[in-house]
Amino acid sequence: MRIRPRRLRTTETLRLMVRETRLSVDDFVYPAFVVPGKGVRESIPSMPGCFRFSIDSLVAEAKEIKGLGIPAILLFGIPETKDEIGTEAFSPDGIVQRAVKAIKAHVDNLLVITDVCLCEYTSHGHCGVVRDGKVINDLTRELLAKIAVSHAGAGADIVAPSDMMDGRVAAIRDALDSSGFQDTAIMSYSAKYASAFYGPFREAAESAPQFGDRKSYQMDPANAREALKEVRLDVDEGADIVMVKPALAYMDIIRLVRDATDVPVAAYNVSGEYAMVKAAAQNGWIDEERIVLEVLTSIKRAGADIILTYHAKDAARWLASR
Ligand code: PBG
């Protein structure tokens, strides 16, 4: 036989030479939850290995993340008090704003990305302002813009709106620019699906909707073309990076988006995806290291330039030891 594909699989050195996708610690963003208090490092039952940190503990965690070579952290805040419109989300002294300042004061060269949304801050748990049982788009946009400006004011490098309101990227870009934050980037959760894979996160962030669901704003898992529409709108409105979320059940969407746009594409390997791997690993049913590296490599192969993952710290260690 003249052509034998197995020839190039003979040795590890050869396989390494022809490898098409190389996973790197540079690809990772580590998501973290920040809570009020001091010295808090509370484990999250459905996300083994993940914790809720008070600001002081988060700074130590951020140093560890930086030490592992992970370039960025994504912050989610759980506030002291919740109300109808999520006031603490845009307070200059809010939990995330203080966390950003603390990390920026104590950790050099770690990119700080902030989640911009209302669901952790509203008493009803929806990602926007609710009137007569409905999430009101345009009013929510204004609050999101205020949140983004307050995060930028605290020193966030990138703001990441995850609410899925229409037109919010434009509102955020305009508000950032008119407040002097031209260099604060926007990573938009552009194609974010109404997914059951967010279950563990909602427990961790106390952000489950108290009535109804998120289907009137997050996308229908059955739709692919619509993801391209969302991405096009966000890029036109000024998104610097677009995101597909979740990742694993949406690899086709990652590839479509990668091929359709020239901005960096991020993929969020979400809490439910993490929990499934962890649960199976704890049962001894799978080889965690191999599964995690295979999953993350596949997300990258599908077209993601940036991978947000709770596995980032473990994966960084495993990659360093190879
Ligand atoms: C908040 C938000 C969610 C996630 C990120 N930002 C949950 C949701 O939309 O209900 C999910 C992250 C994960 O599951 O890891 N809007």
Side-chain angles (χ1 to χ4, degrees):
M1 269 185 282
R2 278 174 299 170
I3 298 171
R4 289 179 182 270
R6 289 186 56 193
R7 261 182 222 123
L8 295 181
R9 297 180 202 139
T10 320
T11 66
E12 180 58 15
T13 317
L14 205 44
R15 291 191 291 268
L16 202 59
M17 193 176 79
V18 299
R19 187 156 295 156
E20 297 176 33
T21 306
R22 290 170 205 275
L23 190 64
S24 154
V25 67
D26 299 334
D27 305 328
F28 300 151
V29 175
Y30 187 66
F33 302 95
V34 50
V35 293
K38 260 207 157 65
V40 182
R41 190 171 185 275
E42 187 188 351
S43 56
I44 301 165
S46 56
M47 300 173 69
C50 291
F51 303 85
R52 297 193 192 94
F53 299 100
S54 53
I55 292 173
D56 54 330
S57 318
L58 181 70
V59 168
E61 180 76 1
K63 286 182 182 158
E64 192 185 330
I65 290 164
K66 173 70 197 161
L68 288 167
I70 297 167
I73 188 169
L74 168 66
L75 297 181
F76 293 97
I78 297 143
E80 200 102 45
T81 53
K82 302 183 190 242
D83 62 26
E84 275 291 308
I85 62 160
T87 309
E88 198 177 320
F90 45 89
S91 154
D93 294 321
I95 184 86
V96 164
Q97 291 81 354
R98 282 184 288 130
V100 173
K101 280 185 204 149
I103 293 174
K104 283 294 172 190
H106 295 105
V107 192
D108 288 334
N109 296 320
L110 180 68
L111 282 171
V112 178
I113 310 174
T114 55
D115 185 74
V116 173
C117 197
L118 284 169
C119 62
E120 295 100 357
Y121 301 87
T122 51
S123 41
H124 45 72
H126 275 290
C127 303
V129 179
V130 172
R131 294 266 162 87
D132 302 323
K134 285 198 175 129
V135 176
I136 307 298
N137 195 87
D138 297 10
L139 210 57
T140 302
R141 256 174 21 144
E142 286 165 34
L143 295 187
L144 294 166
K146 279 172 80 164
I147 299 173
V149 169
S150 74
H151 289 178
D157 301 289
I158 303 177
V159 293
S162 67
D163 52 281
M164 288 301 279
M165 297 302 123
D166 293 334
R168 93 280 209 203
V169 172
I172 290 171
R173 188 68 270 159
D174 288 349
L176 288 172
D177 286 359
S178 60
S179 309
F181 299 115
Q182 290 85 355
D183 291 334
T184 307
I186 300 175
M187 176 167 75
S188 178
Y189 289 68
S190 300
K192 177 175 177 179
Y193 288 87
S195 170
F197 284 99
Y198 307 149
F201 173 96
R202 291 184 188 170
E203 181 195 320
E206 297 169 7
S207 67
Q210 300 303 301
F211 67 90
D213 53 38
R214 303 208 200 289
K215 290 180 186 165
S216 78
Y217 41 105
Q218 297 181 348
M219 285 177 56
D220 182 341
N223 293 357
R225 266 183 330 224
E226 192 187 353
L228 297 178
K229 178 181 180 181
E230 286 281 8
V231 164
R232 178 169 42 81
L233 288 169
D234 283 2
V235 171
D236 287 351
E237 289 177 28
D240 300 283
I241 300 170
V242 294
M243 192 200 298
V244 174
K245 179 184 172 188
L248 276 190
Y250 298 84
M251 298 281 210
D252 56 332
I253 311 297
I254 297 173
R255 171 49 56 195
L256 278 174
V257 170
R258 176 61 291 156
D259 290 344
T261 180
D262 54 9
V263 302
V265 175
Y268 201 141
N269 176 218
V270 299
S271 58
E273 301 170 12
Y274 176 81
M276 292 193 305
V277 169
K278 282 294 196 183
Q282 284 182 349
N283 274 301
W285 294 340
I286 56 169
D287 177 334
E288 182 176 352
E289 174 175 342
R290 288 191 56 206
I291 289 269
V292 167
L293 294 178
E294 186 175 334
V295 160
L296 298 177
T297 301
S298 303
I299 293 171
K300 186 166 184 183
R301 190 198 61 231
D305 304 289
I306 299 164
I307 305 172
L308 301 103
T309 179
Y310 305 98
H311 295 294
K313 287 168 60 186
D314 288 334
R317 287 192 195 98
W318 291 326
L319 288 174
S321 69
R322 294 201 153 201

